[in-house]
Amino acid sequence: MPLPSLCGQHVVVIGGASGIGYAVAECALAEGAAVVIGSRQADRVAAAAARLGAGATGAVVDANDEASVETFLAGVGRFDHLVFTAGDWGGPRHAFGSVGTMDFEAAGAAPGVRFWGALKAAKHAQGRIAETGSITLTDGVIAHRPRPGVALATAFAGALEHLVKALAVDLAPLRVNAVCPGLTMTDIAHAMPPEARAAYHERQLIKRGGEPTEVAQAYLYLMKAGFTTGQALVVDGGLLLT
């Protein structure tokens, strides 16, 4: 049996204009794949596709809008792998804070992209994605490491892991998995106060943040690992062992 490879395959990355998604696109291109990236802002998509170079194209997609997701994937046509790294949990602050002060009406919008957007993408990938292909979603280690003030975000993260298992059963033989990154040195992490970043790193076995290209290797593994489905792969520098 030949060694698994992405060479000649088509990879779609929703959220691929920056951060971990951009690194996944970059690494997939390096393995010989053709890549389509999608994000909400046209200028960022165009700039990212230009930086990625030959083999990469991009288009606008709003993961909150099902019609936009459907249009984006219809424009891609047939492909082999869908990677979903888009997320808004850093934005809606109502997903964080004490339960005692929670605004439940506002909190309902918190999983809009990471959970509902991922489900919309999975829905409209059907019929376009190869049966031997895969869907890889993005979770976070907060699902496994609750802390004060993040009860709602922790619950949403746990829900996404259960969604992965359910989709793996529902969409079989199409494989569905997730990556659970720890603190990864994207623009958001670099914008953190240095003392907060250092405190986070100190809790890990590996005393630094993960580089986006390091975390991207987990996504590449799940795309190529034809006997792996329904799994959440933790890439956290050893945080869960401390």
Side-chain angles (χ1 to χ4, degrees), residues 55-222:
T57 58
V60 172
V61 59
D62 181 354
N64 275 313
D65 182 347
E66 183 176 354
S68 176
V69 173
E70 182 177 15
T71 298
F72 170 76
L73 291 174
V76 172
R78 296 284 297 174
F79 61 98
D80 297 289
H81 303 284
L82 173 65
V83 173
F84 192 93
T85 62
D88 59 357
W89 289 353
R93 303 313 302 173
H94 37 259
F96 301 87
S98 168
V99 171
T101 60
M102 188 174 294
D103 180 342
F104 284 98
E105 185 174 345
V113 170
R114 187 80 71 182
F115 184 89
W116 291 114
L119 192 51
K120 291 166 189 172
K123 173 183 175 179
H124 292 289
Q126 293 182 81
R128 298 185 173 97
I129 192 167
E131 279 195 355
T132 55
S134 69
I135 297 174
T136 307
L137 306 182
T138 303
D139 200 11
V141 292
I142 195 172
H144 305 275
R145 180 62 71 87
R147 61 181 189 272
V150 292
L152 190 60
T154 300
F156 290 151
L160 191 132
E161 287 200 15
H162 286 284
L163 177 64
V164 163
K165 295 178 185 298
L167 287 176
V169 173
D170 200 32
L171 302 181
L174 180 64
R175 296 180 298 107
V176 184
N177 297 287
V179 176
C180 294
L183 186 62
T184 306
M185 300 311 294
T186 62
D187 290 343
I188 293 174
H190 283 294
M192 291 174 63
E195 60 275 14
R197 195 164 59 240
Y200 193 105
H201 294 166
E202 189 56 36
R203 297 199 298 270
Q204 302 172 174
L205 297 179
I206 300 173
K207 308 297 184 182
R208 62 174 177 84
E211 293 300 322
T213 50
E214 292 178 310
V215 176
Q217 299 307 309
Y219 292 84
L220 266 66
Y221 163 76
L222 290 172

